[in-house]
Amino acid sequence: MAKICVVGAGVVGQATGKGFLKLGHDVTFVDVDADTVERIRNNGFSAIFPEEMALGDVEAVFISVSTPTGEDGINLSSLDQACRDIGSALTVCQSRPVIVFRSTILPGTTRKRLIPLLEKAAGDGRVGEHVCYNPEYLRERHAQGDFDRPRIITIGQGDRSEDAAHKLTGLYRPFNAAVYRCSYEEAEFQKYVNNLFNATKISFFNEMREMAKSLGIDPTRAFQLTVRSAQGMWDPLYGTHDKGLYGGACLPKDTNAWIKYMEESGLNPIFMQAVREINRSMGGA
């Protein structure tokens, strides 16, 4: 069994660590927050502060610190500090664990920012050979169950980190989930596509719900039937192929008719206006 460190003991970090604990691995949580460290210890788990990290016999380090978004965009300060802490710990050990970033980060962040930070802090230009990006797909209220029973596992790697990705694949093998390996940038991009699609779908149905209420219609039954009737619902690959813009006899005319009807009814179909604008901006109707 492997010795694992989980840096960042929030929802994702604890689900990750406890998931590996169930498989018999030796897991230590690392966090900067004293209350978090104390709470984890009180629950019978191993928890330390970053300055206490010793990586000499650790096989994998999972980093799941927060990357909040503010007025200036994504805030990577906690992730930067985690890289410095891990790099510092690497300076005093000969072995090299697999370093696995799980935080949601924009495409290019692992290659262009995090690996250089790690290598500078460690004083070792080969640390990048041990780095993978492994996005999480955990729902906040069901994080542990989602980690224990993953739908898929995505591993982003670089040209130098083939062996690290192979080792990480081995750690995940007992979960019996399909493992997909791709570049750092593809994995980082996919995580955003995953989250933004969820946000898009929620916003679409929220707008439709508001429109229905304004028209005096209960949308519940219509939504239930849409799940069964719309190809975009029952065909998971619908719209993902590179087949160009939406067109044909139905979609452009019905989109335009709906927008016109809503506007004449004194309503503002923002979502559908944006859908049409995207199609038009790319040469569609």
Side-chain angles (χ1 to χ4, degrees), residues 45-115:
F45 302 108
S46 174
I48 60 175
F49 295 101
E51 58 269 23
E52 300 175 279
M53 249 192 310
L55 301 178
D57 56 351
V58 170
E59 294 186 36
V61 180
F62 289 84
I63 302 102
S64 54
V65 299
S66 63
T67 52
T69 300
E71 293 182 0
D72 297 325
I74 189 169
N75 183 343
L76 297 176
S77 59
S78 295
L79 196 52
D80 290 346
Q81 186 58 51
C83 289
R84 288 188 284 267
D85 291 337
I86 293 165
S88 178
L90 291 173
T91 63
V92 294
C93 68
Q94 297 300 315
S95 61
R96 287 291 181 260
V98 178
I99 299 171
V100 187
F101 291 102
R102 305 216 74 202
S103 307
T104 301
I105 47 180
L106 294 165
T109 303
T110 300
R111 192 187 304 272
K112 297 177 181 179
R113 183 175 182 132
L114 304 183
I115 290 176

Side-chain angles (χ1 to χ4, degrees), residues 12 25 44 74 92 94 117-118 151 153 184 191-192 216 219 222 241:
V12 173
H25 295 296
I74 189 169
V92 294
Q94 297 300 315
L117 270 174
L118 280 168
R151 292 178 179 273
I153 293 166
Y184 294 133
K191 170 59 176 175
Y192 269 93
H241 301 293

Side-chain angles (χ1 to χ4, degrees), residues 128-252:
E129 296 175 6
H130 308 278
V131 173
C132 294
Y133 178 65
N134 171 220
E136 50 84 13
Y137 308 113
L138 310 182
R139 296 168 295 171
E140 186 171 354
R141 295 183 181 180
H142 307 280
Q144 193 62 63
D146 289 343
F147 184 86
D148 294 343
R149 297 176 294 279
R151 292 178 179 273
I152 66 166
I153 293 166
T154 303
I155 297 175
Q157 63 185 77
D159 298 335
R160 300 187 291 161
S161 57
E162 176 70 26
D163 287 346
H166 180 72
K167 291 177 182 177
L168 182 56
T169 299
L171 278 177
Y172 276 122
R173 190 166 290 117
F175 292 94
N176 295 316
V179 176
Y180 298 91
R181 286 164 59 173
C182 55
S183 71
Y184 294 133
E185 291 78 10
E186 287 170 325
E188 293 162 334
F189 174 73
Q190 188 276 328
K191 170 59 176 175
Y192 269 93
V193 173
N194 178 92
N195 285 4
L196 298 181
F197 174 73
N198 287 339
T200 299
K201 186 173 181 179
I202 291 169
S203 290
F204 170 77
F205 280 99
N206 280 342
E207 177 168 294
M208 288 295 136
R209 185 176 289 106
E210 290 304 306
M211 300 295 106
K213 290 178 181 178
S214 297
L215 296 171
I217 299 170
D218 181 352
T220 304
R221 188 60 171 164
F223 289 173
Q224 292 172 343
L225 296 174
T226 299
V227 171
R228 295 179 175 273
S229 67
Q231 186 177 352
M233 298 291 276
W234 54 258
D235 178 0
L237 294 179
Y238 181 80
T240 65
H241 301 293
D242 188 10
K243 293 185 177 180
L245 310 171
Y246 71 73
C250 295
L251 299 187

